[in-house]
Amino acid sequence: MPVGPAALLALEDGTVFRGRGFGATGEAFGEAVFNTAMSGYQEVLTDPSYAGQVVAMTSPHQGNYGTNRDDAESARVRVAGFAVREASRRTSSWRSERTLGEELADAGVVGIEGIDTRRLTLRLREAGSMRCGVSTEDLDPQSLVRRTRGTPGMEGADLARTVTVAEPYEAGSLVGPSARARVPAARVAAYDFGLKRNILRLLAAAGCEVTVFPAGTPATRILADGFDGVFLSNGPGDPAATTYGVAAATGLLGKVPVFGICLGHQLLGLALDGRTYKMKFGHRGANQPVRDLVTGRVEVTRG
Amino acid sequence: MPRRTDVHRILVIGSGPIVIGQACEFDYSGTQACTVLRREGYHVSLVNPNPATIMTDPEFADATYLEPLTPESMLAVIERERPDAILPTMGGQTGLNVAVELAESGELDRLGVRLIGASLEAIHRAEDRSGFHRSMVGAGLPVPRSGTARTVEEATRVAASIGYPVIVRPSFMLGGGGSGFATEPASLAELAARSLAASPATEVLVEESLAGWKEFELEVMRDGADNAVVICSIENVDPMGVHTGDSITVAPQQTLTDREYQDMRDAALACIRAIGVETGGSNIQFAVNPQDGRRVLIEMNPRVSRSSALASKATGFPIAKVAALLAVGYRLDEIANDITGKTPAAFEPTLDYVVVKVPRFAFEKFPETDPALTSTMKSVGEVMAIGRTFKEALGKAWRSLERSGYDLGPVAGGSAEPVLSSLAVPAERRLHLVEAALAAGHSVDEIAGASGIDPWFVDQIGQVVEETLALHGRALGSISDVELREAKRVGLSDARIASLTGSTELGVRRRRDELAVAPVFKTVDTCAGEFPAVTPYHYSTYEEEDEVRPASRPRVVILGAGPNRIGQGIEFDYACVHAAYALRDAGFEAVMVNSNPETVSTDYDTSDRLYFEPVSAEDVLAVCRTERPLGVIVQLGGQTPLKLAHVLDAEGFTVLGTRPEAIDLAEDRGKFAALCAELGIPAPPHGEARDLGEARAVAARIGYPVVVRPSYVLGGRAMEIVYGEDELERFVRTAAEASPDHPVLIDRFLEGAIEVDVDAVADGADVFVGAVMEHIEEAGVHSGDSSCAIPPPTLSDEELDEVERITAVLARRLQVLGLMNLQLAVKDERIWVLEANPRASRTVPFVSKVTGVPLAKAATMVLVGRTLAELTAEGLIPSDRAHYRRLPYTSVKAAVLPFGRFPGADTVLGPEMRSTGEVMGVDREPGTALAKALVASGAALPRNGTVFVSVSNRDKRAILFPAKRLADMGFRLLATKGTAGVLRRAGIDVTKVDKVSEGTPSVIDMIEEGRVDLVINTPFGRGPRTDGYHIRTAAWQAGIPCVTTLPGVLAAIRGIEALRDGPTEPRSLQEYHELARAPSPVQGVLDLRADAEVATT
């Protein structure tokens, strides 16, 4: 029984959803995407890859276990807006610190609940990713659709610059010391294009000592420090517009082992003269199987 | 990895009869396994003595054996079929146990048969408690802390190291005697002393108490290449302490953070690897401490389970089918997901809806027992509901249960009882108590604290309570479209909204129509909408977009039976499934509506369109409005859909089959008695009484003994046989209490009559009798609890002709279209009609299996306009109308009773049905058929030993002959004073033993000490204080067969004789049907009546 203010979500194709606002009041515009993970909304909210996007969760109940300081993937909420079937007014978890609504309100991010998120998902699946507007202020559907159409899209957007860190730092200060703190398995430089903290945790667990660098760091700076390897992180935006990232990858390739995840992986492709194009819609969730063609083993991954 | 080529012939083990804890979910899984293995080209043999299953229909396996699931009979089948491999993971715990026994005996090695799916070692690792504990600790997986102690001081030390509270249990003691909780050292010392004294080994197990912890289950699958995925997570609304089968459960889990869920997932995958389940599915259970998140692994089942059936229906991922494919060598990434057609089975399903399962109980059938929910499962069935929110799904689940007054939302007026203290003991009504507590103003935290139910679930129910309080007392006409939609979105039924607004269900439906508040249908697609679904598997919800696609062919809606319960179970699902198959074959789109996750009918493969919905008026009407069917079939799913005939008719939908008015005519006992009189068909004299005076007058008029029963109840509820005026008062009062506003019905009881059941199909002009079944127990035992045989052993051709004539006359008068079941009694050379039910019966699958004639299919074809003459011409039904009379083999159906689950329940068979399932035995030798049925039903008939006999005065003369036969076979006879005197006078050697009231050692002591192998006790009266009651309950607790009717005694003796003669070669159902088509002389007759006559002359 949503009790928040009336709210609208409009897609650029003219589809409009009526719901109730939660979190911050106001307006948000961005690219509408859906995520099929059944748990992990806090990780989604704070994942910098979602910068500039209005994320709809396909799983209907969100906020059940609240939010806490340990599960954030970055320093703050990154999504532009959040759309759910039902935001939990009551949280239940021994780790819960705040409700989902409080988390969004503090971050100034608009949420909408009570909408048919499955209808929204099928719309995006059929028509592809679309621009979207969420508002608790402009309740005129035609007006909100018109204003949504006036916003810039994701193509050509360089967003990594907006979510990266200002200064280099040691990952250990954030996620604790590496599993082999005395004699690290490797010293790794991580480019932060929108880095998720869990990646740092996993690198630490693998015994790596990681230093995180801002997205715009030139390759020469990394090479000068004599790292054993370089990691290019995930992040938001159009890889082709992330030109400094491509330049860094080009400068590093052949000189030091380099690996990337998500945007970082796409940047590597571009550096090797590949081309990127936008998929009709992204596969975001927690159930994607990937087969290792060498061993034949299948691992379930998160997209 | 391609499929295995080293295996060609596979034996699948079923789970046997429906019992509490093991229901038709194993028919669902076995049917899937058989189907997919045959499709892959394997030769499939199947053993399962449950005739009501789809899997045992002859077309699902190459060779189907309805033989008992004992190692001996399994071995006989294996010797004959010579499979390369056995798939032991489809038949529940029963199937797994018998496979283990066979493997351990070394016979499988001798015959070169291997187990596929789970190895003997893996099964042992999962099932043996200490081995399991070691494996889990070895894999680094936390399990509950525990330790053993031999002194009070040691116990105190162990408890201190574990941390309070703890459970203390005496070692090597079954049944929980001497165990208990301790919360601090003083109470522990006291408890440990008591517990040590109770333990034969002076040893106690001290274990950390998980009471109040949250319970979770994960369904995991692993393939031969060590790929493993989680198919579904399930969260129990009930805390630890309530058996998961009795718990209200939710999928997916709702209250774990992603990090905790992923850790649990990792632990589950580590567990399946540590146990070494090579391929297939496993169910892994966890407990989580809500205070600090500590997680322990409590159990794993290395097989398809009740939870995996639920997970399959909840996600759309067919676990059993995939498990069967994995067992023959495929990998998860090689198996396509049927629903998307695009993704492989290695995708973990993701849900964009909430699934709620609620168990269905039957405590009213066992009034002597404690209705508290414990770690022993007691529910007899379950419903599943799908909604977009927990609230919506819970509301649908409640109305699926068909318990009046149990719909979601507190009843107006509130409850006066102290709800918080009541909540401490989990019971069937617990969530309604939560509603009442919220309505009475208690806080979410108070209620969560009292009940152990997670506050998130309590708050969800709180939202429903707020909604009902907002509607209470409002006039329906004043409720706006926004308000009404919101009420529906929180899951309130039309009936509940009606009671809140002083309106009627019809009034609410009309108001919804006016305001255009209607549900839409969404699709279960395993992927939350990411990929298009090709399988139309739908659920209703109050949302914006409907996903039902237009159909290309005319639709027929089949209404299922809802939850299993005593009196309405798998037999009705069987008929519904056959209807779906028949309709598909005939070019219609079969549309199934049902709410039971255990069934084959709710497999998305069974029908063309599946609606997983409550079988209630509002939900069924919504489906019909969307589908616009040619017609609706209400006669196959038992009483549940039959009750909807009127409302469907009134709303303009065509009910296929017998008209609703004719259904009423048959169901109303007064009208039916008049009808019989009009047709000149004998029926027992009948009367109705509103008070004891009237009852005395009616009984005097029609003569004792009489059957007394309340109006408008099913399954023989509160029905009793009364022999004289002295007993009348008590039973009339009980009957009046069961249905207070209606008269008590009194019929003449035909004592000693032979009871007969008939299943027939009628097309309005012609009638086809599937078979006449003769009961073994005399009239007075509910037909669902009695055994019966085909061909009818003692009825003459003239009597059968008369039974068939009466069937035809009634079918024509009632204008029956489709199936009809008739119950009759034969006494004093006359045939009396007891009941006519114009619908499918429990015996339809048994008759079909025995005769090879698909009755439900024939009935379905009649419902869509075919005539019996046409079906005969096509060879679907035989032209020889006496086909069932001279089958060259005998088939016996026996009931399976759940008394073991209800300590204290009286085990005497009577007019109130209490069995949960049935088995059959088939053999050319009638006594062997009977013995097989009894063995399959779990009655461990002794081949020799000691028999205790105690019979009522009525039976004293008739017991002589059976007692003599037992004595002649070398059994030692024990009897109480009266019976012993009678036997001695007849020259039968017998030892007198004391009754309970006469001293020690009494017969009870002897039963408890295992010195008796068979108990014969025909009662002189029921009730918890009689000697007979104590004898019977002691026998059940000691696992000793106890026979409570005289024909049952004669049957048991024939069975014992057959067992002593040694086994006969088993034959498959397919071979029997071949025999039926080319009849050969009958080998003998199962004439227990002749035995009885010898006895009394």
Side-chain angles (χ1 to χ4, degrees), chain B residues 10 38 190 516 817:
Chain B
I10 299 174
R38 287 189 84 199
E190 197 185 313
L817 261 184

Side-chain angles (χ1 to χ4, degrees), chain B residues 392-412:
Chain B
E392 188 173 55
L394 185 66
K396 289 170 80 176
W398 283 131
R399 56 182 192 266
S400 301
L401 283 179
E402 293 170 60
R403 289 259 198 224
S404 66
Y406 263 51
D407 281 8
L408 185 68
V411 183

Side-chain angles (χ1 to χ4, degrees), chain B residues 764-847:
Chain B
D766 201 0
V767 179
F768 170 76
V769 171
V772 176
M773 288 151 274
E774 184 175 333
H775 288 205
I776 289 174
E777 286 79 7
E778 57 210 57
V781 173
H782 192 281
S783 64
D785 286 357
S786 52
S787 331
C788 67
I790 302 174
T794 71
L795 298 183
S796 66
D797 271 342
E798 291 70 29
E799 285 170 322
L800 291 173
D801 288 345
E802 179 60 9
V803 167
E804 291 187 15
R805 190 192 67 81
I806 292 173
T807 307
V809 167
L810 276 171
R812 282 201 198 99
R813 175 65 182 78
L814 291 169
Q815 281 292 297
V816 171
L817 261 184
L819 281 161
M820 178 171 81
N821 167 261
L822 209 59
Q823 288 172 23
L824 309 101
V826 181
K827 183 175 159 94
D828 304 333
E829 319 254 302
R830 283 183 83 182
I831 295 170
W832 312 69
V833 172
L834 304 178
E835 245 178 71
N837 299 301
R839 56 164 170 83
S841 74
R842 259 184 305 280
T843 41
V844 162
F846 175 59
V847 171

Side-chain angles (χ1 to χ4, degrees), chain B residues 853-898:
Chain B
V853 181
L855 279 191
K857 180 176 184 178
T860 305
M861 298 321 296
V862 165
L863 294 181
V864 293
R866 309 296 305 280
T867 66
L868 289 171
E870 288 167 352
L871 300 179
T872 310
E874 289 162 19
L876 187 69
I877 55 179
S879 51
D880 174 11
R881 294 297 168 96
H883 67 109
Y884 66 90
R885 297 190 195 178
R886 280 175 254 291
L887 292 170
Y889 48 88
T890 297
S891 305
V892 177
K893 186 204 86 165
V896 178
L897 292 140

